[in-house]
Amino acid sequence: MDDIQRKLQQNSKATREDRLGKVICYTCIGFIILLVACILYFIASKGIATFTKDHVNVWQFLTTSNWEPGNLDSKGHPMVGALPMIVTSFSVTLLAALVATPFALGVAIFMTEISAKKGAKMLQPVIELLVGIPSVVYGFIGLSLIVPFIRGIFGGTGFGILSGTLVLFVMVLPTITSLTVDSLKAVPMHYRQASLALGATRWQTIYKVILRSATPGILTAIIFGMARAFGEALAVQMVIGNAILMPKNLVSPASTLTSKLTTDIGNTVMGTLPNDALWSLALILLLMSLVFNMIVRFLGKRGNIKNAS
Amino acid sequence: MHPKRTDKIATGIIFCIVATVVLILAFLLGYILMNGVPDITWHFLTSQAQSFSAGGGIRDQLFNSLYLLILTLIISFPIAMGAGIYLAEYAKDNWITDIIRTSIEVLSSLPSVVVGLFGYLLLVNQLNFGFSILSGAIALTFFNLPLLTRNIEESLNSVPDLQKEAGTSLGLSDWKTITKIIIPEALPGILTGVILSSGRVFGEAAALIYTAGQSAPTVSYTNWNIFSSSSFLNPMRPAETLAVHIWKVNTEAVTPDAAAISAGSSAVLIIVILLFNLSARFIGNRIYKKMTAAK
Amino acid sequence: MKTYDFNDNYIIDIDAENAIETDNVQVSYGKNQAIFDTSLEFPRFKIISLIGASGSGKSTYLRCLNRMNDKIATVTGKIMYRNVDINDPKTNVYEVRKHIGMVFQRPNPFAKSIRENIQFALKENGIHDKNELEERLELSLQDAALWEEVKDELDTSALALSGGQQQRLCIARSIAMKPDILLLDEPASALDPISTSKIEDTVQLLSKNLTVIIVTHNMQQASRISDYTAFFHMGHIIEYNETRKIFTNPKIKATEDYISGDFG
């Protein structure tokens, strides 16, 4: 058997390299999977301790509005009603998305349909910069500009849902915009040409053809924006007022899930009910982020079906 | 209404919206820079923070931010690289890959405060790292991994399959082909992604408050022994970063010149991130040109 | 398109030393079979063309010969090279590809300098002697008829070359490895006529020292350069004969129809 024949039938340096490379890559990806599993497990197990260990009623936790985890109410139950935080979190999220969406749509339409070359070139860095500004800086600007401004108009402290909404509006704007741009770009060129050839004006084309066929993508963009708003902690915490009250209006101090967590987790002792209750808030955040994820997947599937048919 | 007229009105509204957004950004940047830049003095950058009196600087916070960033990249880049290579080159089209992709999506959509709390639970408490740079860097790694991984995967996928075939047809192993041919070609994209993610890491605070801590103990910049607790390089010491500092002086501290410090710090933060953004574009373009055209 | 009886075929036995031969090779992509029982012999130091319409499986078959279908398709059957079945999963695929090189349809030089394009794989295979590296660089570029054009700019990026030059560089890159067999997958289909004829000259020159198997859709090209020709149709080998004979006197109706331009 000659040398070449032998080499053909033996492992070589290349075989070992490939094996090593695979081991490295599989390890890295395994690490990420393990990490995600750990996060879910840790937060979930801490989060349900309130209900399993401290015997708080889940329903009561979600629907009552007294949050004094250290104290008991008249019936001897711990007072852990998370409703004010839940309501506030959803309010700022929905309001921010509601305000930001028209702006995001406008900018995205401008970048793809009206001035696809110059406009896109000019606005792309604007969006990237808005994404790049750290949330504490948004919080600081909110604190030094928006809060006094609101105070000036509506009186009171200026802290509250309205300030939170305005700060979040600017923060989710780039997210929604850039994803909307992607989905508008994905609309095939011949849709536009066909519509314009039929004598439709540009706006009719945009409104009746392009926005319609990009709807799943735009909804996905909005959900991503909402996920960002829902999970945002510090910027909101700086302008929301951090009072654990059921929000009565948009300009009274309130508290979101995230703001409550950032303020209090360091002031409670691990393993006690006040601390467990906070982890339950974290669990709500985690679950909501999973829900947003599922909605995005669902929309993605629907979008695919729509494009395929 | 007449369609042509609607068209004109709609276009007008869109122009107004675009102008508003551009104005918002211009105003934000203008506000931060105009308020902050006058506060940035040599003294501000090189002196210690003060808790109760005016005139404190941000020397330690600035250093901590950079040190944390570097440590985070050292930890997260290799993992993201391996995971990115896996997704781009090894992943088959099956349910396992589906689970992997879903996991990465979940990780990337987790609020950073949740990631920070997990870090607090696992690193600070369970593993007893305490409030430390190491805890912070690992928490930031968790936060950074999904985006970096996806960026690397995309960059690798943008290299044509033909290149891989060229390598393997010469008898090179897949691994050699990936590391020596595909990765160099994907480098502009990878680098741009790394720099942009650096900006994100640099400005992140929520994941750090309960991992790297909120205090900046006095450290010696001449003590190079990383095991010494007073060394600036010691990864086991707590470290307040610039972003955390801004949050803290605004919410908890009693420093009299909190507004000026925040403005100055915000300006520094923004300038650093702008520099990251610009250099990402510049370096990406430069390497791309160097690789594709000789002259 | 007419349907033909795939069992109606004509395959000659070649009485010569074979560089490589396949025995009942079948290829399938998932449930779709792309190549049916194919047994062919390729004599040493000859040029063999594989012709057929697009989708006939000729490229797929070619790619089996140095295992480039690994991970893409399932290949069964035996491929004998130096008395070793190189289709055996245990065979060292990297060694196989060192001896059986391949050049693809579209030029794919690395984004490196011309010098590095040639020397990269050599270095990885343990050749570090400077003189030898330089010698192989020059020889392979000369063999690929590229040396005169690039000898003064060896350190510039290969991507700055024209398409035809890039393809010749890819050939040079393959032959620098000193392979036994060179597989060419429509190497000139993306090139202009002048580049094409340069590549044809190169291929004919190369066959003094190695066996060339070339896939082409260009029948003139096949008849100009090759010694033997195999005609593929819908995943079946229909006819294999000396090139001269197959083009002047095809034995099978399908071959005749294809050559006379009835389909393809």
Side-chain angles (χ1 to χ4, degrees):
Chain A
M1 211 184 250
D2 69 11
D3 190 41
I4 292 176
Q5 279 177 326
R6 206 170 41 247
K7 277 190 174 163
L8 281 171
Q9 289 167 307
Q10 280 173 351
N11 284 344
S12 61
K13 195 174 123 225
T15 325
R16 290 189 293 276
E17 274 169 10
D18 257 4
R19 223 171 272 159
L20 177 73
K22 266 197 179 160
V23 169
I24 293 174
C25 292
Y26 280 64
T27 312
C28 291
I29 205 80
F31 173 80
I32 294 183
I33 305 297
L34 187 71
L35 172 66
V36 176
C38 274
I39 293 180
L40 298 182
Y41 171 75
F42 269 84
I43 306 274
S45 65
K46 283 297 266 182
I48 59 171
T50 315
F51 313 114
T52 54
K53 195 176 104 232
D54 304 309
H55 305 293
V56 172
N57 182 312
V58 180
W59 187 245
Q60 198 191 1
F61 180 80
L62 293 175
T63 55
T64 61
S65 54
N66 282 323
W67 182 273
E68 283 174 57
N71 301 326
L72 302 178
D73 65 11
S74 52
K75 288 180 204 147
H77 294 300
M79 291 196 273
V80 279
L83 190 63
M85 273 89 81
I86 297 174
V87 169
T88 312
S89 273
F90 276 100
S91 310
V92 288
T93 302
L94 287 171
L95 287 173
L98 211 61
V99 183
T101 303
F103 282 87
L105 277 179
V107 174
I109 290 172
F110 184 78
M111 285 174 71
T112 54
E113 311 300 326
I114 294 179
S115 179
K117 285 216 176 97
K118 261 193 187 162
K121 212 172 174 184
M122 187 192 75
L123 286 168
Q124 194 58 42
V126 170
I127 292 169
E128 278 168 23
L129 280 173
L130 283 174
V131 179
I133 295 176
S135 59
V136 283
V137 174
Y138 279 118
F140 165 62
I141 294 173
L143 192 62
S144 47
L145 280 177
I146 296 178
V147 171
F149 178 71
I150 305 266
R151 190 188 301 142
I153 296 180
F154 297 100
T157 58
F159 291 101
I161 291 179
L162 187 57
S163 302
T165 302
L166 290 178
V167 168
L168 284 176
F169 151 64
V170 187
M171 295 183 73
V172 301
L173 182 61
T175 311
I176 304 183
T177 307
S178 57
L179 289 168
T180 305
V181 166
D182 291 346
S183 73
L184 293 185
K185 273 188 188 159
V187 175
M189 200 35 106
H190 61 256
Y191 282 29
R192 297 179 177 86
Q193 287 157 347
S195 166
L196 292 172
L198 289 171
T201 63
R202 182 163 67 187
W203 176 246
Q204 284 173 323
T205 307
I206 292 170
Y207 185 71
K208 297 215 168 127
V209 178
I210 296 169
L211 289 185
R212 293 281 150 93
S213 63
T215 304
I218 296 171
L219 288 177
T220 306
I222 296 172
I223 297 293
F224 267 108
M226 287 172 65
R228 186 172 182 201
F230 200 82
E232 175 52 46
L234 300 189
V236 178
Q237 192 257 359
M238 287 161 89
V239 299
I240 199 90
N242 300 309
I244 317 156
L245 299 169
M246 200 62 193
K248 283 191 261 336
N249 55 46
L250 297 184
V251 289
S252 64
S255 190
T256 62
L257 296 165
T258 51
S259 76
K260 189 71 204 146
L261 271 171
T262 34
T263 342
D264 278 10
I265 200 99
N267 305 330
T268 51
V269 181
M270 272 283 178
T272 61
L273 173 63
N275 186 270
D276 289 345
L278 289 173
W279 285 104
S280 301
L281 299 185
L283 180 59
I284 298 180
L285 277 178
L286 181 83
L287 291 177
M288 273 313 292
S289 121
L290 293 180
V291 168
F292 285 127
N293 234 300
M294 269 152 56
I295 301 178
V296 165
R297 294 203 131 216
F298 174 72
L299 286 171
K301 272 190 194 139
R302 276 207 29 197
N304 285 343
I305 292 165
K306 209 173 169 184
N307 286 340
S309 61
Chain B
M1 214 185 314
H2 197 271
K4 286 238 166 86
R5 201 137 147 234
T6 323
D7 186 69
K8 272 203 181 128
I9 294 171
T11 311
I13 293 175
I14 287 173
F15 268 96
C16 290
I17 287 175
V18 170
T20 314
V21 172
V22 173
L23 278 178
I24 290 176
L25 177 78
F27 176 75
L28 284 177
L29 285 184
Y31 180 80
I32 297 165
L33 295 178
M34 303 261 257
N35 274 296
V37 170
D39 292 321
I40 305 175
T41 57
W42 186 242
H43 173 80
F44 181 66
L45 292 175
T46 57
S47 60
Q48 263 188 299
Q50 301 291 333
S51 302
F52 305 107
S53 59
I58 54 165
R59 177 190 70 191
D60 300 329
Q61 284 75 13
L62 193 55
F63 173 77
N64 289 342
S65 289
L66 289 172
Y67 191 33
L68 252 172
L69 170 63
I70 291 168
L71 274 185
T72 305
L73 286 182
I74 290 176
I75 305 173
S76 59
F77 183 68
I79 302 175
M81 199 74 193
I85 293 175
Y86 174 87
L87 288 173
E89 308 289 341
Y90 292 121
K92 296 188 187 90
D93 199 8
N94 57 19
W95 61 274
I96 299 177
T97 309
D98 217 38
I99 291 181
I100 291 171
R101 288 192 190 282
T102 312
S103 306
I104 292 176
E105 266 166 44
V106 167
L107 189 56
S108 78
S109 65
L110 283 183
S112 60
V113 58
V114 172
V115 174
L117 288 174
F118 169 71
Y120 174 59
L121 210 53
L122 179 74
L123 306 166
V124 178
N125 283 321
Q126 298 267 353
L127 299 177
N128 260 323
F129 291 171
F131 289 129
S132 64
I133 292 186
L134 187 63
S135 299
I138 299 176
L140 284 180
T141 294
F142 298 163
F143 160 85
N144 196 23
L145 268 180
L147 275 170
L148 203 52
T149 301
R150 219 179 297 156
N151 162 265
I152 290 174
E153 184 199 350
E154 276 169 21
S155 306
L156 292 177
N157 276 336
S158 71
V159 177
D161 282 348
L162 282 171
Q163 292 296 329
K164 196 175 175 203
E165 294 199 321
T168 46
S169 74
L170 290 169
L172 301 174
S173 63
D174 287 353
W175 183 245
K176 263 275 143 56
T177 310
I178 293 165
T179 51
K180 293 285 178 68
I181 292 166
I182 307 217
I183 291 179
E185 284 191 43
L187 207 58
I190 294 176
L191 260 182
T192 309
V194 169
I195 298 175
L196 288 178
S197 76
S198 300
R200 254 166 50 91
V201 167
F202 197 79
E204 176 55 34
L208 287 177
I209 292 174
Y210 294 110
T211 50
Q214 306 168 38
S215 59
T218 314
V219 289
S220 152
Y221 288 90
T222 49
N223 184 348
W224 289 81
N225 176 7
I226 63 164
F227 298 109
S228 156
S229 61
S230 66
S231 167
F232 67 113
L233 290 176
N234 181 3
M236 300 314 287
R237 66 182 172 88
E240 183 194 36
T241 65
L242 202 53
V244 174
H245 190 56
I246 296 174
W247 173 73
K248 200 162 171 225
V249 292
N250 273 301
T251 50
E252 294 182 357
V254 284
T255 322
D257 56 347
I261 291 174
S262 316
S265 308
S266 299
V268 172
L269 209 53
I270 293 290
I271 290 169
V272 173
I273 288 168
L274 279 178
L275 285 178
F276 278 138
N277 265 309
L278 288 176
S279 61
R281 277 161 185 268
F282 180 73
I283 293 175
N285 283 339
R286 190 72 195 266
I287 297 181
Y288 183 74
K289 274 196 188 130
K290 204 172 158 194
M291 270 182 14
T292 47
K295 290 154 223 169
Chain C
M1 196 155 96
K2 278 183 262 183
T3 46
Y4 299 98
D5 180 4
F6 297 126
N7 293 320
D8 183 17
N9 52 27
Y10 181 86
I11 293 160
I12 55 161
D13 279 323
I14 297 164
D15 189 19
E17 196 189 343
N18 288 332
I20 187 167
E21 56 183 275
T22 68
D23 191 9
N24 286 333
V25 163
Q26 308 207 27
V27 185
S28 46
Y29 298 97
K31 283 177 193 139
N32 302 323
Q33 187 156 5
I35 297 284
F36 301 82
D37 278 0
T38 301
S39 305
L40 290 177
E41 299 174 353
F42 301 97
R44 284 189 80 181
F45 303 141
K46 298 289 179 199
I47 302 175
I48 301 99
S49 301
L50 311 182
I51 62 170
S54 47
S56 61
K58 53 192 193 303
S59 287
T60 303
Y61 176 75
L62 185 81
R63 291 168 61 94
C64 294
L65 300 181
N66 71 342
R67 296 267 301 266
M68 289 303 282
N69 282 334
D70 284 19
K71 294 177 195 163
I72 304 172
T74 325
V75 183
T76 60
K78 279 188 177 156
I79 301 170
M80 300 305 290
Y81 166 72
R82 288 181 184 254
N83 291 324
V84 177
D85 175 14
I86 57 172
N87 196 37
D88 186 330
K90 281 197 283 258
T91 304
N92 187 327
V93 59
Y94 314 104
E95 291 296 321
V96 169
R97 291 174 187 152
K98 279 182 202 167
H99 300 292
I100 307 177
M102 186 162 210
V103 174
F104 300 85
Q105 191 168 359
R106 301 231 321 270
N108 55 356
F110 303 136
K112 299 175 189 287
S113 69
I114 295 172
R115 186 193 303 276
E116 269 298 298
N117 259 279
I118 306 277
Q119 293 181 344
F120 175 70
L122 299 177
K123 286 186 207 156
E124 293 299 333
N125 282 315
I127 300 172
H128 294 292
D129 179 49
K130 262 229 130 173
N131 294 330
E132 165 138 32
L133 285 172
E134 288 304 302
E135 197 183 329
R136 289 229 194 167
L137 171 71
E138 184 172 342
L139 279 177
S140 62
L141 285 172
Q142 272 172 350
D143 284 349
L146 192 59
W147 175 251
E148 287 304 320
E149 291 164 54
V150 300
K151 66 181 177 193
D152 297 324
E153 43 195 51
L154 293 170
D155 289 310
T156 56
S157 168
L159 300 179
L161 297 174
S162 74
Q165 288 175 321
Q166 286 189 3
Q167 192 62 304
R168 277 178 282 147
L169 179 66
C170 292
I171 295 178
R173 182 174 65 186
S174 280
I175 57 183
M177 302 283 296
K178 298 198 172 159
D180 268 353
I181 301 169
L182 187 60
L183 310 174
L184 303 168
D185 188 0
E186 302 197 31
S189 68
L191 304 180
D192 60 275
I194 295 174
S195 302
T196 304
S197 87
K198 280 188 180 162
I199 289 197
E200 287 178 9
D201 293 346
T202 304
V203 168
Q204 279 181 309
L205 217 68
L206 289 174
S207 71
K208 288 193 183 111
N209 301 313
L210 47 76
T211 310
V212 178
I213 306 176
I214 177 169
V215 162
T216 176
H217 58 231
N218 178 337
M219 279 173 284
Q220 281 76 32
Q221 188 171 59
S223 66
R224 270 198 302 269
I225 62 173
S226 62
D227 303 297
Y228 295 91
T229 295
F231 169 63
F232 280 80
H233 184 57
M234 300 182 81
H236 295 263
I237 173 73
I238 304 292
E239 186 160 354
Y240 184 42
N241 203 343
E242 287 172 38
T243 301
R244 193 172 38 86
K245 289 185 183 161
I246 211 169
F247 280 105
T248 53
N249 183 21
K251 301 271 193 261
I252 309 289
K253 185 79 173 71
T255 320
E256 190 183 337
D257 289 351
Y258 178 70
I259 289 169
S260 58
D262 270 13
F263 65 89

